[in-house]
Amino acid sequence: MRRILTIDGGGLKGVFPAAFLAGLEDQLGGRVADYFDLIAGTSTGGIIAIGLGLGLTSHEILQLYRENAARIFPRGRGFPIRGVFRAKYAASALRQVLTEIFGDRVLGESSTRLVIPSLNLAAEKVHIYRTSHAANVVHNGRVPAVEVALATVAAPSYFPIHLSPEGVPFIDGSLWAGNPVGLAVIEALGTLRWDREEVRVLSLGCTSSRLNIAWKKRTSFGSSYWFARLADVFLTAQCSSALVTAQTLIGAEHVFRISPDMSQQRLAMDAVEHLSALSELGQQEASHAYSRLAPVFFYQKAAQFAPNHPETEPAAA
């Protein structure tokens, strides 16, 4: 059996999947990453995925959010209109936190196959950061983990465009793979050539909210109405498309989606005040879901990952 873990983007709402995984680790008595053959994460989910690959426990990653959220998303600084004319937050604090956690380690040091999406603005095409897990694709084993994380979390309006050390501009992978479950399954079947009957996926969202669209009024809404809602519609459609892609390729019964509805609270990506509630929710959901997930994902550890290329061999950035 081949087991995949995917983690959505969602800013500080990433506390939910981090707490969910920490809850699973409490049940397992060990690292949850040891049970997966491939981990894919976008934006905040990319940070979690990289951390798991580099040996951090989910509890350590959860603590990263708890201790550093206010540093990364400071309140009460600057003018209220900052987010209109330039990025709402500077990336310097985020870089500092990531450097404290990952140091100078590179993506190729991951003990698990990783897939981390971003968007290359200069080339005007998607970019996928990969560990060296296939001989026929470009891998990024020599790219610093901090650079990969910054490239996948550079959410437009929240953070500035991320320039790689080579000067390549990247923005948030959520622009095309906010829910990376479809990408991960395509990677498994198309790149790794795994048997579709053997693939199982645990897909973690950062909670979800129902769309606030007054469609029952049967009104032809104009641009002023859609301007404030189009991003939510786009992200919801993208998430649904990714799930349908994965379910079509390997069967709906083999995709386990965890993303509780939090419509009543309307959680923001930078809402530091919701950290405790999200953490508690993640722990509760893990407790409820463990008995259902254990026979599928946690019956034995995954086989040890052996990279296809030596870590010292340079890879394309």
Side-chain angles (χ1 to χ4, degrees), residues 182 185 189 196-197 240-255:
V185 171
L189 304 186
R196 65 186 298 271
E197 299 296 332
S240 177
S241 173
L243 279 172
V244 170
T245 297
Q247 291 168 346
T248 300
L249 290 173
I250 65 172
E253 69 278 12
H254 297 154
V255 179

mmCIF file of all heavy atoms in Angstrom, residues 182 185 189 196-197 240-255:
data_model
loop_
_atom_site.group_PDB
_atom_site.id
_atom_site.type_symbol
_atom_site.label_atom_id
_atom_site.label_comp_id
_atom_site.label_asym_id
_atom_site.label_seq_id
_atom_site.Cartn_x
_atom_site.Cartn_y
_atom_site.Cartn_z
ATOM 1 N N GLY A 182 -5.007 16.749 -5.591
ATOM 2 C CA GLY A 182 -4.983 16.340 -6.996
ATOM 3 C C GLY A 182 -3.560 16.247 -7.519
ATOM 4 O O GLY A 182 -3.192 15.280 -8.198
ATOM 5 N N VAL A 185 -1.809 13.060 -6.111
ATOM 6 C CA VAL A 185 -2.228 11.805 -6.753
ATOM 7 C C VAL A 185 -1.653 11.706 -8.163
ATOM 8 O O VAL A 185 -1.213 10.624 -8.595
ATOM 9 C CB VAL A 185 -3.763 11.693 -6.766
ATOM 10 C CG1 VAL A 185 -4.215 10.516 -7.628
ATOM 11 C CG2 VAL A 185 -4.291 11.539 -5.346
ATOM 12 N N LEU A 189 0.742 8.665 -9.472
ATOM 13 C CA LEU A 189 0.430 7.791 -10.610
ATOM 14 C C LEU A 189 1.297 8.099 -11.829
ATOM 15 O O LEU A 189 1.766 7.182 -12.499
ATOM 16 C CB LEU A 189 -1.045 7.936 -10.987
ATOM 17 C CG LEU A 189 -2.095 7.673 -9.892
ATOM 18 C CD1 LEU A 189 -3.494 7.712 -10.476
ATOM 19 C CD2 LEU A 189 -1.842 6.344 -9.206
ATOM 20 N N ARG A 196 -2.679 2.529 -9.033
ATOM 21 C CA ARG A 196 -3.801 3.308 -8.501
ATOM 22 C C ARG A 196 -4.599 2.547 -7.454
ATOM 23 O O ARG A 196 -5.158 3.137 -6.527
ATOM 24 C CB ARG A 196 -4.722 3.759 -9.635
ATOM 25 C CG ARG A 196 -5.436 2.627 -10.372
ATOM 26 C CD ARG A 196 -6.217 3.150 -11.571
ATOM 27 N NE ARG A 196 -7.263 4.077 -11.169
ATOM 28 C CZ ARG A 196 -8.508 3.703 -10.846
ATOM 29 N NH1 ARG A 196 -8.825 2.413 -10.840
ATOM 30 N NH2 ARG A 196 -9.407 4.591 -10.514
ATOM 31 N N GLU A 197 -4.623 1.236 -7.547
ATOM 32 C CA GLU A 197 -5.377 0.431 -6.579
ATOM 33 C C GLU A 197 -4.691 0.384 -5.213
ATOM 34 O O GLU A 197 -5.312 0.033 -4.214
ATOM 35 C CB GLU A 197 -5.548 -0.998 -7.105
ATOM 36 C CG GLU A 197 -6.321 -1.090 -8.418
ATOM 37 C CD GLU A 197 -7.764 -0.618 -8.276
ATOM 38 O OE1 GLU A 197 -8.319 -0.729 -7.156
ATOM 39 O OE2 GLU A 197 -8.319 -0.131 -9.284
ATOM 40 N N SER A 240 -12.529 21.904 -4.698
ATOM 41 C CA SER A 240 -13.436 20.865 -5.182
ATOM 42 C C SER A 240 -12.856 20.154 -6.393
ATOM 43 O O SER A 240 -12.941 18.923 -6.514
ATOM 44 C CB SER A 240 -14.784 21.496 -5.535
ATOM 45 O OG SER A 240 -15.664 20.546 -6.079
ATOM 46 N N SER A 241 -12.255 20.920 -7.302
ATOM 47 C CA SER A 241 -11.650 20.329 -8.498
ATOM 48 C C SER A 241 -10.541 19.359 -8.131
ATOM 49 O O SER A 241 -10.424 18.265 -8.711
ATOM 50 C CB SER A 241 -11.103 21.441 -9.397
ATOM 51 O OG SER A 241 -10.381 20.904 -10.482
ATOM 52 N N ALA A 242 -9.706 19.740 -7.160
ATOM 53 C CA ALA A 242 -8.610 18.874 -6.735
ATOM 54 C C ALA A 242 -9.133 17.572 -6.137
ATOM 55 O O ALA A 242 -8.602 16.487 -6.415
ATOM 56 C CB ALA A 242 -7.735 19.604 -5.721
ATOM 57 N N LEU A 243 -10.167 17.677 -5.317
ATOM 58 C CA LEU A 243 -10.753 16.481 -4.713
ATOM 59 C C LEU A 243 -11.364 15.563 -5.762
ATOM 60 O O LEU A 243 -11.172 14.340 -5.726
ATOM 61 C CB LEU A 243 -11.819 16.878 -3.692
ATOM 62 C CG LEU A 243 -11.319 17.288 -2.308
ATOM 63 C CD1 LEU A 243 -12.462 17.849 -1.473
ATOM 64 C CD2 LEU A 243 -10.666 16.106 -1.590
ATOM 65 N N VAL A 244 -12.098 16.151 -6.708
ATOM 66 C CA VAL A 244 -12.717 15.353 -7.768
ATOM 67 C C VAL A 244 -11.647 14.672 -8.611
ATOM 68 O O VAL A 244 -11.782 13.501 -9.000
ATOM 69 C CB VAL A 244 -13.628 16.232 -8.646
ATOM 70 C CG1 VAL A 244 -14.069 15.468 -9.899
ATOM 71 C CG2 VAL A 244 -14.855 16.678 -7.856
ATOM 72 N N THR A 245 -10.550 15.383 -8.893
ATOM 73 C CA THR A 245 -9.452 14.789 -9.654
ATOM 74 C C THR A 245 -8.897 13.564 -8.937
ATOM 75 O O THR A 245 -8.730 12.491 -9.538
ATOM 76 C CB THR A 245 -8.331 15.817 -9.863
ATOM 77 O OG1 THR A 245 -8.815 16.907 -10.646
ATOM 78 C CG2 THR A 245 -7.131 15.186 -10.557
ATOM 79 N N ALA A 246 -8.605 13.719 -7.651
ATOM 80 C CA ALA A 246 -8.046 12.612 -6.875
ATOM 81 C C ALA A 246 -9.028 11.452 -6.782
ATOM 82 O O ALA A 246 -8.647 10.281 -6.945
ATOM 83 C CB ALA A 246 -7.670 13.097 -5.473
ATOM 84 N N GLN A 247 -10.283 11.759 -6.526
ATOM 85 C CA GLN A 247 -11.302 10.713 -6.384
ATOM 86 C C GLN A 247 -11.535 9.978 -7.694
ATOM 87 O O GLN A 247 -11.754 8.763 -7.703
ATOM 88 C CB GLN A 247 -12.603 11.334 -5.877
ATOM 89 C CG GLN A 247 -12.518 11.827 -4.442
ATOM 90 C CD GLN A 247 -13.695 12.690 -4.045
ATOM 91 O OE1 GLN A 247 -14.474 13.148 -4.895
ATOM 92 N NE2 GLN A 247 -13.835 12.952 -2.754
ATOM 93 N N THR A 248 -11.463 10.707 -8.798
ATOM 94 C CA THR A 248 -11.643 10.072 -10.107
ATOM 95 C C THR A 248 -10.482 9.135 -10.427
ATOM 96 O O THR A 248 -10.674 8.041 -10.973
ATOM 97 C CB THR A 248 -11.767 11.142 -11.209
ATOM 98 O OG1 THR A 248 -12.891 11.974 -10.932
ATOM 99 C CG2 THR A 248 -11.931 10.504 -12.581
ATOM 100 N N LEU A 249 -9.278 9.543 -10.067
ATOM 101 C CA LEU A 249 -8.098 8.762 -10.415
ATOM 102 C C LEU A 249 -7.918 7.515 -9.560
ATOM 103 O O LEU A 249 -7.460 6.479 -10.057
ATOM 104 C CB LEU A 249 -6.843 9.642 -10.297
ATOM 105 C CG LEU A 249 -6.707 10.741 -11.355
ATOM 106 C CD1 LEU A 249 -5.531 11.651 -11.041
ATOM 107 C CD2 LEU A 249 -6.540 10.132 -12.745
ATOM 108 N N ILE A 250 -8.236 7.586 -8.269
ATOM 109 C CA ILE A 250 -7.986 6.422 -7.403
ATOM 110 C C ILE A 250 -9.241 5.896 -6.706
ATOM 111 O O ILE A 250 -9.166 4.897 -5.990
ATOM 112 C CB ILE A 250 -6.913 6.734 -6.338
ATOM 113 C CG1 ILE A 250 -7.389 7.807 -5.354
ATOM 114 C CG2 ILE A 250 -5.604 7.141 -6.996
ATOM 115 C CD1 ILE A 250 -6.447 8.017 -4.172
ATOM 116 N N GLY A 251 -10.371 6.571 -6.902
ATOM 117 C CA GLY A 251 -11.611 6.123 -6.268
ATOM 118 C C GLY A 251 -11.929 6.974 -5.042
ATOM 119 O O GLY A 251 -11.058 7.193 -4.191
ATOM 120 N N ALA A 252 -13.160 7.446 -4.953
ATOM 121 C CA ALA A 252 -13.564 8.322 -3.853
ATOM 122 C C ALA A 252 -13.370 7.664 -2.494
ATOM 123 O O ALA A 252 -13.049 8.329 -1.505
ATOM 124 C CB ALA A 252 -15.022 8.748 -4.034
ATOM 125 N N GLU A 253 -13.547 6.358 -2.438
ATOM 126 C CA GLU A 253 -13.435 5.638 -1.170
ATOM 127 C C GLU A 253 -11.990 5.569 -0.654
ATOM 128 O O GLU A 253 -11.766 5.204 0.507
ATOM 129 C CB GLU A 253 -13.993 4.218 -1.309
ATOM 130 C CG GLU A 253 -13.175 3.263 -2.178
ATOM 131 C CD GLU A 253 -13.426 3.400 -3.667
ATOM 132 O OE1 GLU A 253 -14.071 4.393 -4.075
ATOM 133 O OE2 GLU A 253 -12.983 2.522 -4.430
ATOM 134 N N HIS A 254 -11.035 5.958 -1.486
ATOM 135 C CA HIS A 254 -9.627 5.905 -1.092
ATOM 136 C C HIS A 254 -9.060 7.279 -0.733
ATOM 137 O O HIS A 254 -7.860 7.407 -0.465
ATOM 138 C CB HIS A 254 -8.797 5.282 -2.209
ATOM 139 C CG HIS A 254 -9.159 3.867 -2.495
ATOM 140 N ND1 HIS A 254 -8.961 3.273 -3.726
ATOM 141 C CD2 HIS A 254 -9.738 2.912 -1.709
ATOM 142 C CE1 HIS A 254 -9.392 2.022 -3.686
ATOM 143 N NE2 HIS A 254 -9.855 1.779 -2.471
ATOM 144 N N VAL A 255 -9.918 8.301 -0.754
ATOM 145 C CA VAL A 255 -9.508 9.663 -0.385
ATOM 146 C C VAL A 255 -10.240 10.046 0.899
ATOM 147 O O VAL A 255 -11.465 10.140 0.925
ATOM 148 C CB VAL A 255 -9.824 10.673 -1.496
ATOM 149 C CG1 VAL A 255 -9.405 12.085 -1.071
ATOM 150 C CG2 VAL A 255 -9.131 10.284 -2.798
#
